[in-house]
Amino acid sequence: MALDAVYWTKFVIGLGYGVLAAWLAASNQTPLMTYLLIIGAAFLYVIVAEIFWRLFDKKLRRRQSYLNGLGGYAGIFLLVWILMYNLFVGA
């Protein structure tokens, strides 16, 4: 049960950050902004994984907390960022 909550929470955070990153990238179209947003996504993931590890330390190992949801987070973040960026730039 705890692993499902961790996975879906990371999925939703990736979705939200993807929309935010697309909006920021569309409003400031510089290569530096793109690099900062990708680094920000990595930092956000580490922070969220660390918080979940501390909340559910009896149920999760640290490695499990970091690996659970990594693919969902990265996949939805990139997919939403690409789709929303194209919508924001085209509008």
Side-chain angles (χ1 to χ4, degrees):
M1 185 63 178
L3 291 177
D4 289 342
V6 169
Y7 179 86
W8 287 109
T9 303
K10 288 179 183 178
F11 185 87
V12 170
I13 290 171
L15 181 82
Y17 188 72
V19 172
L20 177 66
W23 179 73
L24 289 172
S27 64
N28 186 5
Q29 295 181 352
T30 60
L32 179 63
M33 178 58 81
T34 303
Y35 299 137
L36 291 175
L37 291 170
I38 291 172
I39 291 169
F43 278 134
L44 179 64
Y45 183 81
V46 169
I47 290 168
V48 168
E50 190 68 24
I51 288 171
F52 275 117
W53 179 69
R54 293 185 187 274
L55 287 177
F56 301 112
D57 62 341
K58 294 178 181 145
K59 298 176 186 145
L60 295 174
R61 293 186 318 223
R62 189 176 211 159
R63 183 171 195 263
Q64 233 179 344
S65 176
Y66 277 89
L67 292 178
N68 183 35
L70 178 62
Y73 175 84
I76 197 66
F77 164 69
L78 290 173
L79 179 70
V80 168
W81 187 10
I82 291 168
L83 292 175
M84 295 303 291
Y85 178 80
N86 286 320
L87 288 174
F88 288 143
V89 170

